[in-house]
Amino acid sequence: MTRHAEIAGAGFSGLTMAAALAQRGWSVRVHERSPEVRAFGAGIWTWENGVRALANIRAADDAFADCNPPPRYLERDAEQRIIRSLPFPPPHSDSGVRMFCVTRQRLLMAIHGAATRAGVDVATGSEVVSARPEGELETADGKTFRADLVVGADGVNSKVRDSLGLLRSRRTHADGAIRVLVPHEGGYGDTEEGKLLRSWWNGRRRLLYTPCTSDVFYLCFTGRVRDGQASRVPLHKESWIRHFPFMESMIDRVGDEQRYDVFETVESRHWRVGRAAVIGDAGHAMVPGLGQGCGMAICNALSLASHLVDHRDVERALTEWETRWRPVTEHAQLWSRISWPLTQIPVGAARWAFKTPVFHDWVAIQRRKPSHVVPHGSENDARWFPRNAAGDPSAPPRAD
Ligand SMILES: Cc1cc2nc3c(=O)[nH]c(=O)nc-3n(C[C@H](O)[C@H](O)[C@H](O)COP(=O)(O)OP(=O)(O)OC[C@H]3O[C@@H](n4cnc5c(N)ncnc54)[C@H](O)[C@@H]3O)c2cc1C
């Protein structure tokens, strides 16, 4: 008999969960409170683990088709002196941890496409207000939906998590970010410099430039909540240009639609109770120190769908899923939290710290661990490659 799932939230984790379940024979409905499935205008990094999960649900081709992954990450101080320089393996490389960056909307639509092709029903304008461990979701219009499995993928303010009593702690941090997409001008996106991932440090402020496509790049302005000019929206352009004068022409082109998001960490007592589970930011929001919040969310979603193939008994599958994947996710949360202050120390100390063997070896291994995660169900999958090697549109398609 076909099993049925009701999911709250059509974000990255909810739609990945939906696609993975539907591809494994479940009937799935996703409730999205917004009138349409939409991500806000920013970029998002996806590491090897996330790429693997997306390839498994057949969303990677659509997500990264015209992506130009950066060959290198450069961190510089306010005088443009290099703090550290880290190479990335090219996208067609057979080994190593690759990183792809696309717009959030593109990634979300790729996952949405995979979900709808698998027959998922996405109900927009449907706000979930609570869930019950017996397998029920209740929506704001008073309707109740029963299922073999209910999932809260409704983000950091999750009503599903809170109604199930799963929240252990929720912590807001001292920093936050304004994230925007900016159009390239004069073919800059296709230049060697335009393809580099770069960040600049000045005091407590950071400015991150991430190439997305040849048309747009992603800027992330990070600053303390209590730094009124750094956290102000609309962006306080004069103040940011004062800190990073060499970025003036790009900062000037930032549009009016912005938001400042304070970093948060969510810890759950459990990820599941009865026939209900929470995934993504609802269960384990993290500081973006590793750029792994979404990556871990989509890996966990795929793993859960695969544990549900191993066991027809939903409660047993949920228990096994949490036991196996929670420690990995908590490692990512911990190292995200440690990594963020590490990039907040004074430039001189950072330059010294990044060169010490302990940082190079042990810390780097800890930070990279989440990228090596192989979500359950994808163990036998071949490594995914973009159709055009190195994101080069002139390169011939791979024979795959
Ligand atoms: C500054 C910053 C940079 C980041 N950069 C990266 C990065 O580069 N790489 C990375 O992997 N992660 C990154 N993250 C983390 C990443 O954004 C999140 O982990 C990811 O968005 C979580 O996805 P989600 O689907 O769980 O939640 P969300 O993306 O928040 O989606 C939740 C969905 O549920 C809907 N919803 C909410 N409430 C309800 C309700 N009651 N009923 C129905 N629907 C509801 C919402 O409208 C939304 O569509 C970053 C985070 C920050 C703050």
Side-chain angles (χ1 to χ4, degrees):
M1 211 177 73
T2 303
R3 293 188 288 173
H4 178 67
E6 295 278 342
I7 300 175
F12 302 109
S13 54
L15 288 174
T16 304
M17 182 82 248
L21 283 174
Q23 289 167 355
R24 285 157 182 76
W26 286 61
S27 76
V28 186
R29 176 168 30 223
V30 183
H31 300 264
E32 169 55 47
R33 73 173 169 194
S34 304
E36 56 179 339
V37 175
R38 190 154 193 83
F40 82 100
I44 188 158
W45 299 9
T46 307
W47 296 93
E48 200 66 48
N49 56 316
V51 172
R52 184 173 261 277
L54 292 168
N56 184 280
I57 63 159
R58 301 189 280 282
D61 285 341
D62 286 346
F64 305 124
D66 61 353
C67 169
N68 288 319
R72 183 167 287 280
Y73 179 37
L74 281 178
E75 280 180 325
R76 296 178 188 264
D77 65 17
E79 273 76 51
Q80 295 260 47
R81 288 175 304 215
I82 291 179
I83 299 168
R84 68 175 161 173
S85 166
L86 305 169
F88 290 116
H92 53 276
S93 152
D94 283 334
S95 61
V97 169
R98 299 168 299 170
M99 197 279 279
F100 293 81
C101 181
V102 288
T103 65
R104 284 181 171 249
Q105 182 64 4
R106 173 157 204 136
L107 180 58
L108 192 65
M109 285 302 110
I111 305 173
H112 180 255
T116 48
R117 281 195 301 275
V120 171
D121 171 17
V122 181
T124 51
S126 180
E127 183 183 356
V128 173
V129 290
S130 66
R132 285 165 52 84
E134 294 76 19
E136 279 179 14
L137 280 189
E138 197 198 336
T139 48
D141 55 7
K143 290 190 185 137
T144 299
F145 298 85
R146 290 199 177 80
D148 299 285
L149 169 72
V150 296
V151 179
D154 46 347
V156 71
N157 297 312
S158 174
K159 290 188 174 159
V160 170
R161 175 198 65 214
D162 292 351
S163 64
L164 292 167
L166 292 176
L167 182 67
R168 174 184 288 157
S169 70
R170 186 171 169 182
R171 188 176 151 203
T172 49
H173 297 269
D175 294 284
I178 297 169
R179 292 169 281 172
V180 289
L181 292 175
V182 185
H184 277 302
E185 269 185 354
Y188 180 76
D190 296 320
T191 64
E192 287 310 305
E193 188 182 76
K195 289 178 190 164
L196 292 175
L197 175 62
R198 284 164 291 161
S199 85
W200 294 269
W201 301 27
N202 191 346
R204 296 281 190 181
R205 294 204 196 178
R206 302 285 175 264
L207 178 53
L208 173 77
Y209 165 100
T210 306
C212 278
T213 64
S214 45
D215 297 331
V216 290
F217 60 93
Y218 158 45
L219 286 182
C220 182
F221 298 83
T222 311
R224 302 235 126 175
V225 179
R226 64 164 189 253
D227 175 349
Q229 293 189 337
S231 55
R232 196 193 88 175
V233 282
L235 191 77
H236 196 302
K237 291 187 180 176
E238 301 82 51
S239 166
W240 283 100
I241 291 171
R242 232 182 3 261
H243 279 75
F244 304 102
F246 39 85
M247 293 293 280
E248 178 170 0
S249 72
M250 293 188 190
I251 296 173
D252 262 340
R253 301 211 302 276
V254 170
D256 293 333
E257 218 178 283
Q258 300 144 22
R259 58 189 231 190
Y260 175 81
D261 292 297
V262 181
F263 300 162
E264 290 200 59
T265 300
V266 166
E267 286 179 54
S268 302
R269 278 181 218 290
H270 283 291
W271 285 3
R272 41 88 217 169
V273 52
R275 294 168 163 271
V278 286
I279 54 169
D281 278 8
H284 52 71
M286 59 186 85
V287 176
L290 301 183
Q292 273 287 4
C294 178
M296 295 314 288
I298 58 183
C299 287
N300 289 335
L302 172 59
S303 294
L304 175 52
S306 306
H307 282 287
L308 286 157
V309 172
D310 297 349
H311 303 291
R312 264 200 86 82
D313 179 345
V314 170
E315 295 191 32
R316 184 166 167 212
L318 289 177
T319 306
E320 199 166 280
W321 167 69
E322 177 171 7
T323 308
R324 178 147 167 214
W325 300 101
R326 193 172 165 146
V328 182
T329 306
E330 287 180 346
H331 178 94
Q333 269 190 314
L334 174 70
W335 280 92
S336 292
R337 210 162 53 220
I338 294 173
S339 297
W340 187 254
L342 266 183
T343 67
Q344 295 285 291
I345 56 181
V347 169
R351 227 182 238 116
W352 171 83
F354 292 157
K355 280 189 194 138
T356 58
V358 73
F359 197 93
H360 245 283
D361 304 337
W362 190 71
V363 173
I365 289 169
Q366 301 310 318
R367 283 170 49 89
R368 222 172 295 136
K369 247 183 199 169
S371 311
H372 292 291
V373 163
V374 176
H376 187 34
S378 73
E379 294 86 349
N380 299 321
D381 294 357
R383 187 172 167 97
W384 179 85
F385 292 106
R387 292 202 173 270
N388 289 333
D392 174 4
S394 62
R398 295 181 61 91
D400 53 1

